Amino acid sequence: GIMNKTGLWFFLSLKRQVKRIFFLVLLFFLPAGLWCFRAAGEGESEQVKVALYAGESAWNRKVAKELLSDTGSFGFYVSSSEEALREDVKAGRAECGYIFPEDLKERLETGDYKRCIVLVSSPSTTAGRLSTEIVFSGLFTVWGRELLEAYAGEGEAFCGQKDVWEQLEPLYDRYLNNGSTFAFQYVTSGGSALEEPTLKTSPPARGIAAVFIFVMGLAAAVTVCEDIKKGLFGTMSGLRREAAIMACLAAPVSLACLSGFAGLGAAGVLMNPAGEAGILLLYGCSCTVFSWVLCRLVRNPLAIACLIPFFIIGSLVFCPVFVDLSLFLPALKTAGKLFLPWYYLKAAAFL
């Protein structure tokens, strides 16, 4: 029957592919490359770099020291000058930066604190808005301690009492750090609380795997078109012919999907193997059908080969492989839908 013949074509095409050394190297290169990215990333800090310029003020430096001790998602460091801070942000060495005025403490005491701290940030990052809470927390830690210490010595409530600050200081530290002074809880519209957000960077393994499988399908279309020209399917017609062509396209795409699955595991992003395998199966079928349609419409193997760079560049630019440009240019979202990796990445986002 047709199913048996199609299975035979698929098996023969698999044997044909595994005999090609270059194809096998490509299949091995994807998981090996993603593993290397992961190994390199593990040696680097996952913190978002934020620059600080405290100037010559000892009080500003005390605030900066408090922020430097933070071990959360943001990694603060002190720049040598305002120019150095701006250059770091411009060059991407820091996501954003904060410039403290020399009279910061005085302006806080007089109430003239609006817009006194300058935030330097690139338009393509949201780190500035997120890190502002951390900067405010560090500022409050230093200033609040001094306010309480001054009030303990001069306030009417403690007038005449000795060693008040010695008793208040440990209480201040305890309630400042246990979350009862300031606490943020993020709740969805459905009423469920979200976990504390963290910012981490990881190699775009899914995007790379998606583009790789897509390109392997396009390359298979080139090969199949050449086979059609050579008369490989000349003895068949109708549904049998199309089924055989589809099987020859599906074989390399299947191997590419297996390589992509191994690559996701090597990159450490395979959190839901069953779900990922299901999405990859659907994506592989989509790439096979797309390549088959391309074969039927274009027919010329050279023309299809010339289209491959277009599909590669389009997938990398318009699909959220490395960065989602549609966040800044919404019109690009429509362009991304013209490329199959866009659909895989959107589906994988639900895992």
Side-chain angles (χ1 to χ4, degrees), residues 14-278:
L14 281 179
K15 287 184 64 177
R16 180 187 185 187
Q17 298 299 330
V18 297
K19 289 181 179 180
R20 295 178 174 178
I21 302 300
F22 180 69
F23 184 75
L24 292 178
V25 170
L26 288 178
L27 293 180
F28 173 77
F29 180 77
L30 178 65
L34 292 178
W35 181 85
C36 290
F37 272 121
R38 178 187 180 185
E42 288 177 348
E44 299 177 356
S45 172
E46 293 183 337
Q47 291 182 320
V48 178
K49 294 297 182 183
V50 179
L52 300 171
Y53 176 66
E56 301 298 326
S57 168
W59 194 83
N60 288 0
R61 293 185 177 184
K62 188 184 295 186
V63 175
K65 184 178 179 181
E66 178 66 30
L67 292 171
L68 291 175
S69 65
D70 182 76
T71 57
S73 299
F74 295 94
F76 293 90
Y77 71 94
V78 176
S79 295
S80 58
S81 64
E82 290 188 30
E83 293 73 17
L85 183 148
R86 294 180 186 277
E87 186 61 33
D88 281 355
V89 174
K90 183 178 179 181
R93 291 186 290 270
E95 287 293 317
C96 61
Y98 292 86
I99 300 174
F100 296 163
E102 293 292 337
D103 59 344
L104 176 58
K105 183 180 180 182
E106 289 74 15
R107 294 182 66 171
L108 289 172
E109 292 175 344
T110 58
D112 182 26
Y113 50 79
K114 289 186 177 180
R115 303 181 185 276
C116 64
I117 298 177
V118 177
L119 169 63
V120 181
S121 178
S122 64
S124 61
T125 182
T126 59
R129 296 177 183 178
L130 297 172
S131 60
T132 298
E133 290 183 7
I134 309 300
V135 173
F136 173 77
S137 174
L139 183 65
F140 177 83
T141 299
V142 176
W143 192 38
R145 179 185 295 275
E146 293 187 1
L147 288 176
L148 184 58
E149 184 177 3
Y151 185 71
E154 304 171 4
E156 295 180 0
F158 305 110
C159 184
Q161 300 185 38
K162 298 180 179 180
D163 303 327
V164 174
W165 173 241
E166 285 74 9
Q167 300 175 40
L168 289 178
E169 185 176 18
L171 294 175
Y172 176 84
D173 291 332
R174 185 206 308 174
Y175 289 106
L176 182 69
N177 297 320
N178 68 0
S180 62
T181 304
F182 289 104
F184 297 91
Q185 185 180 40
Y186 300 85
V187 179
T188 65
S189 58
S192 58
L194 298 176
E195 295 181 359
E196 183 181 355
T198 57
L199 293 178
K200 293 186 178 181
T201 57
S202 60
R206 282 197 177 90
I208 294 174
V211 175
F212 176 80
I213 296 169
F214 186 39
V215 172
M216 289 297 103
L218 297 174
V222 175
T223 302
V224 167
C225 281
E226 290 176 344
D227 291 339
I228 293 174
K229 276 196 165 186
K230 293 175 183 178
L232 183 63
F233 307 100
T235 59
M236 295 176 290
S237 62
L239 185 59
R240 291 179 181 273
R241 174 186 170 91
E242 300 307 321
I245 292 175
M246 190 74 76
C248 291
L249 290 169
V253 172
S254 299
L255 293 174
C257 287
L258 289 175
S259 176
F261 188 80
L264 296 178
V269 298
L270 198 60
M271 304 304 176
N272 184 355
E276 200 79 57

Side-chain angles (χ1 to χ4, degrees), residues 218-227 229 294-295 298-311:
L218 297 174
V222 175
T223 302
V224 167
C225 281
E226 290 176 344
D227 291 339
K229 276 196 165 186
L294 203 60
C295 282
V298 180
R299 297 180 181 274
N300 189 326
L302 182 60
I304 296 177
C306 292
L307 287 174
I308 290 179
F310 164 76
F311 285 113

Side-chain angles (χ1 to χ4, degrees), residues 280-294:
L280 275 175
L281 177 62
L282 293 175
Y283 180 64
C285 293
S286 301
C287 290
T288 301
V289 173
F290 183 88
S291 298
W292 176 77
V293 172
L294 203 60

